[in-house]
Amino acid sequence: MAATLRIQSDWSQALRRDEGEAWLSCRSPGKPTLYGSLTRRGLSTEGVPDIAASEGFVVGEVTKKSILISCPHENVSTKFLAPYTTFCRIHQKSITCLDISSGGGLGVSTGTDGTMKIWQAANGEIRRLLEGHVYDVNCCRFFPSGLVVLSGGMDAQLKIWSAEDASCVVTFKGHKGGILDTAIVDRGRNVLSCSRDGTARLWDCGKSACLGVIADCSSPVNGIALGTADSSLNLGTPEKAPSEREVGTEGKILLLAREDKKLQGVGLQSRQPVFLFVGSDAFNCCTFLSSTYILAGAQDGNIYQLDVRNTNAPIQIIHRSGAPVLSLLPYRDGFIASQGDGTCFIVQQDLDYVLDLTEADCDPVYKVASWEKQIYTCCRDGIVRRYQLSDL
């Protein structure tokens, strides 16, 4: 695994002051960590800080919100990005999940203060309070329309809400344990959920009924992802003809990130297993990069990239820190990952550096959402951060 560059979490504030300093480090497996610092020497004519690095580090492009640092000896570069805006009034406590609507206008988030809220993505102003779950809400997401929200809670209930008037229009019951993740099939006539009870279920929104158990594992299913399978993949045949209430399940594969260190692929319509991959630790999250490539994040910090057509061995294992990988999001021609130590980073195929979204200081970043060039993160410190990727 390549070397990893780190920076003081509040570097952009620290370097605002004259003579301001921020620490840097470069960690490479099996070698002593190289420590250094950045010092502000003044301002350039454009109002951008003039920053110098200590021995072993080189400062590249600097803007008001970003700084490119490289460590030539380890041949590694990272662009550190500070938030464009922070919203600290949406929740009082830790924020466990968030999503942004398809038009980019609204956000929805859940917190350990027991609330779920809809807010304006531009300024964090609260628009609606979604009340009805008993205990904590674990996950929330917008339907593709951006007008409806799907949520799952520790009360084992799955709920659908109107974002316009905050009414709960459907409640699904059937899980025997807390719901940990959800997915939406196409435009949302059917939805999926996974739970601590070890099952993944398919639901019919129109009749608020369960259409079937897609998988029944002997261990909690921490995360799911739905994708269109590569045409060469054999997804199996259903044992009985699918209900006419099933819409858009054909040709799709459901990924299950399981607590028992297994990543499973299941044909959504056939309910048949497609593959089973065993990792080094519990899997927390998974996502599709394309119809052939998938990613899965584990409790020990490993991110596995696999080809669904051959899951015997991973294409690569990405490891930036030993903290649990908590969320994975496909982004352009790469992905965004967040971890339990506050690490949140973006990898892109055509960039020779990693983008690091900074400021969370050792607090887990639970979830990442994106809308065009804006990235939103939610964290245990109770803050929603918005990053602007205008310079990608």
Side-chain angles (χ1 to χ4, degrees), residues 95-284:
I95 307 172
T96 48
C97 192
L98 95 168
D99 193 24
I100 301 296
S101 65
S102 52
L106 293 176
V108 62
S109 55
T110 58
T112 54
D113 54 7
T115 65
M116 178 164 44
K117 294 173 181 177
I118 290 176
W119 35 274
Q120 278 175 228
N123 57 15
E125 193 179 300
I126 294 165
R127 298 296 301 271
R128 296 281 180 266
L129 193 58
L130 306 180
E131 295 177 298
H133 278 288
V134 192
Y135 316 125
D136 281 357
V137 188
N138 290 332
C139 46
C140 57
R141 70 167 69 237
F142 282 100
F143 276 73
S145 66
L147 304 172
V148 188
V149 169
L150 177 66
S151 67
M154 285 311 287
D155 55 8
Q157 295 185 57
L158 191 66
K159 288 179 178 283
I160 295 177
W161 311 78
S162 158
E164 295 169 300
D165 65 6
S167 61
C168 175
V169 287
V170 176
T171 299
F172 299 109
K173 294 180 180 177
H175 278 297
K176 308 273 190 295
I179 292 171
L180 301 177
D181 199 8
T182 62
I184 293 171
V185 185
D186 291 350
R187 285 168 48 204
R189 284 171 65 184
N190 292 173
V191 297
L192 290 147
S193 59
C194 68
S195 161
R196 284 178 190 247
D197 65 13
T199 66
R201 290 172 181 261
L202 180 70
W203 307 87
D204 173 4
C205 297
K207 292 203 168 167
S208 59
C210 181
L211 288 170
V213 174
I214 304 300
D216 193 350
C217 320
S218 49
S219 109
V221 182
N222 294 322
I224 52 174
L226 183 64
T228 302
D230 183 77
S231 54
S232 66
L233 207 60
N234 177 12
L235 296 181
T237 354
E239 283 172 11
K240 58 176 196 285
S243 150
E244 76 279 1
R245 303 292 303 176
E246 267 191 45
V247 183
T249 57
E250 197 180 354
K252 295 202 173 61
I253 181 170
L254 184 69
L255 302 182
L256 312 172
R258 295 167 35 166
E259 184 68 24
D260 60 1
K261 307 184 184 181
K262 290 172 184 161
L263 178 74
Q264 187 175 358
V266 178
L268 181 54
Q269 193 180 70
S270 71
R271 324 283 202 255
Q272 303 292 326
V274 177
F275 70 81
L276 191 66
F277 173 79
V278 182
S280 51
D281 206 341
F283 281 107
N284 294 327

Side-chain angles (χ1 to χ4, degrees), residues 287-295 305-309 315 349:
T287 194
F288 282 83
L289 293 178
S290 68
S291 61
T292 51
Y293 297 125
I294 57 174
L295 284 181
Q305 185 183 348
L306 301 164
D307 184 327
V308 288
R309 297 163 303 184
I315 296 167
Q349 276 175 351

Side-chain angles (χ1 to χ4, degrees), residues 11 48-51 59-68:
W11 62 273
V48 173
D50 175 21
I51 309 289
V59 178
E61 186 195 12
V62 179
T63 70
K64 285 179 183 173
K65 294 284 183 189
S66 73
I67 185 166
L68 180 64

Side-chain angles (χ1 to χ4, degrees), residues 340-373:
D341 57 359
T343 312
C344 185
F345 63 93
I346 305 179
V347 172
Q348 293 289 298
Q349 276 175 351
D350 57 347
L351 289 185
D352 53 2
Y353 57 83
V354 171
L355 268 159
D356 206 310
L357 306 182
T358 62
E359 206 186 76
D361 185 13
C362 302
D363 273 310
V365 176
Y366 290 114
K367 194 81 179 174
V368 183
S370 69
W371 185 75
E372 293 188 349
K373 291 181 178 178

